[in-house]
Amino acid sequence: MEKLLAPGHRACAGCSMPTVINLVLDAAGPNTIVATPTGCSEVTTTPYPESAWRVPWIHSLFENAAAVASGIEAALKHFGKDHNVFVIAGDGSTLDIGMGCISGMFDRGHNVKYVCYDNEAYMNTGVQRSSSTPPCTSTTTTPSGKVSFGNPRPKKDMPAIAVAHRVPYVATASVAYPVDLRQKVKRAISIPGPAYIQVNAPCITGWSFEAGTTVEIARLAVETCLWPLYEYVNGELAGVKKIHVKRPVEDYLKAQGRYRHLFRMKGGEEMIRVLQQMADENARKFGLLYEGDVACTSGE
Amino acid sequence: MKMIVKEEMSLRERMARMRVVEGSYAVAHAVKCCSPDVISAYPITPQTHIVEHISQFVADGELDSEFLTVDSEFSAMSSLVGSSAAGARCYSSTTSQGLALMWEVLYNASGMRLPIVMTVANRALSAPLNIWNDQQDSVGARDSGWIQLYAEDVQEAADAIPQAYKIAEDPEILTPVMVCMDGFILTHVYEPVELLSVEEVERFLPPYRPKNILDPENPKTFGAFADPSYFTELRYMQWDAHRRALKKIETVAREFAEQFGRWYGGLIDTYRADDAEVIIVTMGSVIGTIKDCIDEMRSEGMKVGLVKIRSYRPFPTEALRKALKDADVVAVIEKDVTVGNEGALLTDLKAALYNTPTRIPVIGFPAGLGGRDITVRDIRRVVDKAIAARDRGIEAEIEFLNLREDLL
């Protein structure tokens, strides 16, 4: 099948974002209009007069994709047209600057499916901290230093915020689990009203991991329980991706330059313990482990 | 407004069609007659009555539009960018802080050549917070790429809506239009107004059939980024569309006058200006007061006239050169000031005259800021100052009208 995001775009080698977009569009099909905010996906796919998009696509500003999509959906409704309307946006525009527009779109109940590819910082401008950056992450605005372990704050829980808006379908997904992601997109389309899907999307330059390991890194995020895969339908937890072998967070952290300082600095171990507690809490909260399973230890 | 009495409709018949309504109602009613597909707005004083009346039309089934009760003015204009790109005729209304919050989207909508129409109920900008009328808000948006029309009275503010759509949606123009009306002074006043009808407006305004829309059958990319090798030409094309709009605004005003018998001027209008030695240039609702004052002064033998700016963007350079070439002196009254320079209209007007043989004193008066009344006495003072500038040379190029020295 012809990809709806054409090859030849200018994303970095090893970037997960085009893969996320094509998985979403594979599931949504060509009867889809996409709104994208300013960011990596926009600048790498649409240098005028070229475009990699084989579906109708619009970019307006950094913080308004949800509002633009609201307007598209309202116009389609008025004309009696039936097309999927998607937003595909990064975490900076979603969790920070576009928060008001997204809240409004959710609140008004537009039939807009919002996919956030979450690479956990402002990658297009050079890896600055966003409110989706996990704690203890070194970014260019929360660098690790003699008196800093990097980002001091927890990650904003955007899926919970979507659930609090009574968004009927809310899910997390991962580029490492394409079948799961496609199914979630299809489920989002099948349920009328807004939907929110947040996809873990490793960034090779911002996270600095070995070339060729993008999917492996994403899978480790899930297997360590730092990135739980779940879905909420009408406010109820409706499904989770269970983990057979829960990996220690070190396996995930040590593979990435953005956590290198935790293994070098005095007190880094304590920070790693804090991150492990977060993962354990995810496992408990979402019931990610099969009964009787035990966590394996590092190196196994 | 000048009444052009057509044979088929006597003045008596026209008067019978008139109703005394609030300015906001007249505008909302005109919007209804244009049948926009999507309306998106956020409440802010003194614009609220416009959107409340429109909401009621929708609730009563009199207007078949999607009305989005959005979370901010920023979202209002952003959502209309989406709707317009999807092929919808779009309307919004705002003022002051709301317009300021839209700033980023204003440039975006015009750059994407989306023919959105919006009423701006002119109001001062904070700080200090002030809900009353001046025109700092829309004048500050003069570089946003929007066409800006300023209304003198309620009838003009309402009649400008179908005209605005006809200008904006012309494939040769494709540029959004702001219809500016003075907040409270026009939005909240009750005046006799001849209300439009859907049938009449349908005869005047063709349906909106855009060529490029978001359509999965024919996928197109909207809002690509342009690097330095393309950006200038795209901006030039916007600039050129404004140049074409100079003619289009005139044409549409004439077409409106032919069908409805009401004429407000094209780019500008004049009042007793032909033989005037002193000409006042201004825009908005203060024109009514100025006309009364001119009549008084004319009866006293003073040769005073008025040039009304109807289109501030595109700026009517040629029309102004023609209208002012025989004057002795020009006084600009404007409800804005560029802090750090002078009134924006004063600068524009002086620039328009610079490369011409017209060498006359031009002085400016920021006035009516934050809703302060402009009275007949104030207008007389402006004329006195203008005459002094003519006779004895310019003392001050700019003077704040009615400045309370006791508060400084």
Side-chain angles (χ1 to χ4, degrees), chain B residues 275-286:
Chain B
D275 64 338
E277 293 165 2
V278 179
I279 293 185
I280 299 171
V281 179
T282 193
M283 48 197 192
S285 65
V286 72

Side-chain angles (χ1 to χ4, degrees), chain A residues 121-169:
Chain A
Y122 290 91
M123 298 317 190
N124 191 41
T125 44
V127 201
Q128 294 86 16
R129 179 206 177 257
S130 81
S131 60
S132 201
T133 303
C136 305
T137 305
S138 184
T139 72
T140 54
T141 51
T142 55
S144 59
K146 282 179 187 155
V147 294
S148 171
F149 289 107
N151 179 36
R153 297 292 302 157
K155 188 178 168 87
K156 190 189 280 184
D157 190 351
M158 188 64 195
I161 293 169
V163 169
H165 281 76
R166 300 176 193 274
V167 170
Y169 185 78

Side-chain angles (χ1 to χ4, degrees), chain B residues 38 97 150 183 227 271 274 288 308 335 348 374 384:
Chain B
V38 181
Q97 313 302 131
Y150 285 76
D227 71 15
Y271 185 73
D274 285 350
K308 150 182 159 174
K335 294 180 174 179
D348 286 340
I374 303 173
D384 289 346

Side-chain angles (χ1 to χ4, degrees), chain A residues 20-33:
Chain A
V20 172
I21 294 174
N22 265 322
L23 289 170
V24 169
L25 292 179
D26 279 354
N31 185 30
T32 300
I33 297 171

Side-chain angles (χ1 to χ4, degrees), chain B residues 62-111:
Chain B
E62 290 180 37
L63 172 58
D64 178 22
S65 296
E66 304 299 319
F67 188 105
L68 303 185
T69 52
V70 284
D71 44 282
S72 71
E73 290 88 354
F74 177 82
S75 281
M77 189 47 62
S78 295
S79 57
L80 293 186
V81 165
S83 298
S84 188
R89 177 175 285 168
C90 298
Y91 177 78
S92 189
S93 178
T94 191
T95 175
S96 180
Q97 313 302 131
L99 188 67
L101 190 55
M102 279 183 189
W103 224 254
E104 192 185 7
V105 205
L106 294 179
Y107 281 76
N108 192 251
S110 66

Side-chain angles (χ1 to χ4, degrees), chain B residues 13-75:
Chain B
E13 278 175 311
R14 300 180 60 108
M15 296 298 279
R17 277 164 58 104
M18 283 198 166
R19 283 181 53 200
V20 176
V21 296
E22 193 200 32
S24 294
Y25 180 88
V27 170
H29 191 275
V31 171
K32 181 183 83 167
C33 292
C34 296
S35 309
D37 303 301
V38 181
I39 297 158
S40 189
Y42 186 81
I44 179 168
T45 304
Q47 153 266 32
T48 41
H49 291 187
I50 296 173
V51 292
E52 287 169 8
H53 288 304
I54 292 174
S55 307
Q56 193 65 52
F57 289 140
V58 174
D60 291 339
E62 290 180 37
L63 172 58
D64 178 22
S65 296
E66 304 299 319
F67 188 105
L68 303 185
T69 52
V70 284
D71 44 282
S72 71
E73 290 88 354
F74 177 82
S75 281

Side-chain angles (χ1 to χ4, degrees), chain B residues 277-280 327-331 360-363 383 385-387 389-390:
Chain B
E277 293 165 2
V278 179
I279 293 185
I280 299 171
D328 293 343
V329 60
V330 172
I360 52 173
V362 180
I363 53 175
V383 172
K385 295 264 181 189
I387 290 169
R390 178 192 62 181

